Amino acid sequence: MKNLSTYIAYPGTTQEAFEHYRDVFGGELSIVKYGDMPPMEGMPFEPDPDAVAHATLTLPGGTISGSDQMPGETYAVKDTIYSLLYGFDDVEEARACLATLVEAGGAVNMSFELAPWGDHYGTVFDKFGVMWAFTVPATEETGN
């Protein structure tokens, strides 16, 4: 079975981010820290035992995976070059998730509104810098 998932390297905030996403969206969370793993010969660095080696949040409709950045990596998480697009069937459910991300320290990037193409659509940066896009397809129930 083929599956496409998102993987993000966070600057030491993976556990906090994934616990936050679980609280917002629900789902099943798995976190493995380097200290939980057997020693790995040939590693180019000595991993912090408290650093997240791999996290996965299984959500209705998909998965998000990630880890803490490797020592010396300083990649920016916040950018508009990507977003995590999460589709909902219900406008109010999407609005509630968007509002929860904003209330927890995020910021609206594009208001969740009826878009010119007929769907409801909006984007928000969460408190970790990840841009989330929310969409609800046009249907009779959504009023489009």
Side-chain angles (χ1 to χ4, degrees), residues 118-139:
D119 298 346
H120 278 81
Y121 179 84
T123 60
V124 61
F125 283 104
D126 68 24
K127 66 182 178 178
F128 303 98
V130 174
M131 188 165 84
W132 290 83
F134 293 90
T135 186
V136 178
T139 66

Side-chain angles (χ1 to χ4, degrees), residues 44-78:
F45 64 93
E46 182 66 33
D48 177 346
D50 291 326
V52 174
H54 185 74
T56 300
L57 180 61
T58 304
L59 301 165
T63 60
I64 306 168
S65 298
S67 65
D68 287 330
Q69 293 177 0
M70 302 290 180
E73 291 180 343
T74 56
Y75 303 118
V77 174
K78 186 173 184 176

